[in-house]
Amino acid sequence: QEMKMFLGLTIGLALAFLCVSSASSVAARTCRIPDVTPTVTFDILPYKVSFKKNATRGDLQRMTRRHSVSSRQGNWYPLGLTLTTFSYEVSPKVIAYPMKGGRYCAIPTEIRIKMGYPKFEILIDRRYRRGTCQFNAIRDHENEHVDLYLDTLDRMTPWLESRILGQVQRIKPITETSPDRAAEYFTRILMKTIGAAAKKLSTKAARANARIDTVQSYQLIQSQCARW
């Protein structure tokens, strides 16, 4: 009997969005802004799960290779695939004091950070129509991957927030040629912090997902339906 692989892969890709705003205030001679502690707000992005129709076995194999993921389980091949993107948005509000020479002394007063997995795209071999035993078995396995990603994010959110707050506490006033350029600077350093932390999140999520992508798991799923 030909062996079939129920491969539920989750591919984490870093994607960042910028949203900056700024505000200006009274003039100052030197770049000294006392007692400014930015207010930080965290939001988890809502997510949506969608299904991509008409994926062939060849499509699934090519996408698996494109993301440098192999089956690693002998004579098995992909019947399902889950793609996801970890996204983060940093939106600082900056207060900027005009200085001599057309420069500004700036510091963020508010920072809003959004992060999460806004989209999960599930691909299932098009030979299995929606509503069939095979489709449902593959779908349920892929949904397990979605749940594992969300569970990992939920468990690691306090750690992510602490890393970000640590960077915020180290932020000092800077001089720039405009409030917008100052806001872009603060956005960059916070995005760098989140990006580094996201690597650990991706590693944790990958390990969790690997635990359900085993020969035993595939055999259990295959046993749910009589014909493949």
Side-chain angles (χ1 to χ4, degrees):
Q1 180 182 358
E2 185 180 23
M3 302 297 286
K4 295 180 172 64
M5 177 179 180
F6 299 83
L7 182 60
L9 303 174
T10 43
I11 311 299
L13 307 175
L15 180 63
F17 301 90
L18 304 183
C19 178
V20 295
S21 60
S22 62
S24 60
S25 186
V26 297
R29 292 184 178 180
T30 58
C31 190
R32 296 176 183 174
I33 306 176
D35 301 325
V36 175
T37 302
T39 300
V40 183
T41 303
F42 292 98
D43 294 304
I44 297 298
L45 294 167
Y47 71 92
K48 179 180 179 180
V49 180
S50 62
F51 290 84
K52 184 176 180 180
K53 300 179 180 178
N54 298 322
T56 67
R57 183 187 301 182
D59 293 333
L60 296 172
Q61 291 173 330
R62 283 190 293 273
M63 294 190 74
T64 300
R65 289 194 297 268
R66 185 183 309 162
H67 293 286
S68 301
V69 179
S70 62
S71 66
R72 300 175 300 171
Q73 299 291 351
N75 190 31
W76 296 80
Y77 53 83
L79 298 180
L81 182 68
T82 298
L83 302 178
T84 189
T85 299
F86 180 74
S87 303
Y88 42 98
E89 306 174 21
V90 178
S91 304
K93 181 179 288 186
V94 173
I95 185 169
Y97 296 88
M99 301 176 65
K100 292 182 178 180
R103 298 183 69 83
Y104 292 83
C105 179
I107 191 75
T109 57
E110 299 177 24
I111 301 171
R112 185 171 185 179
I113 295 172
K114 299 179 182 180
M115 56 187 177
Y117 298 99
K119 183 179 179 180
F120 293 90
E121 186 177 51
I122 295 177
L123 294 79
I124 295 178
D125 192 318
R126 69 180 182 183
R127 293 178 301 166
Y128 306 116
R129 295 181 179 274
R130 187 183 295 269
T132 62
C133 177
Q134 296 86 351
F135 180 96
N136 292 340
I138 300 170
R139 178 204 60 198
D140 291 346
H141 180 77
E142 300 307 317
N143 280 331
E144 285 188 65
H145 285 292
V146 173
D147 290 341
L148 285 170
Y149 253 90
L150 296 174
D151 289 345
T152 303
L153 175 61
D154 184 61
R155 287 187 289 104
M156 293 198 66
T157 292
W159 179 82
L160 287 167
E161 292 180 354
S162 68
R163 298 280 293 185
I164 296 167
L165 289 172
Q167 180 62 60
V168 170
Q169 292 171 358
R170 292 190 290 272
I171 287 178
K172 303 295 183 183
I174 64 166
T175 59
E176 259 297 354
T177 55
S178 72
D180 284 344
R181 286 183 63 87
E184 290 171 2
Y185 168 80
F186 295 124
T187 299
R188 278 198 310 275
I189 61 173
L190 288 172
M191 284 176 57
K192 183 178 180 180
T193 298
I194 299 172
K199 293 181 180 179
K200 184 173 182 178
L201 171 67
S202 295
T203 299
K204 293 280 188 180
R207 289 174 180 171
N209 280 286
R211 286 194 286 270
I212 67 168
D213 277 339
T214 64
V215 170
Q216 292 78 12
S217 174
Y218 302 149
Q219 290 173 338
L220 178 62
I221 297 169
Q222 190 173 32
S223 69
Q224 296 176 18
C225 305
R227 301 177 63 182
W228 291 92

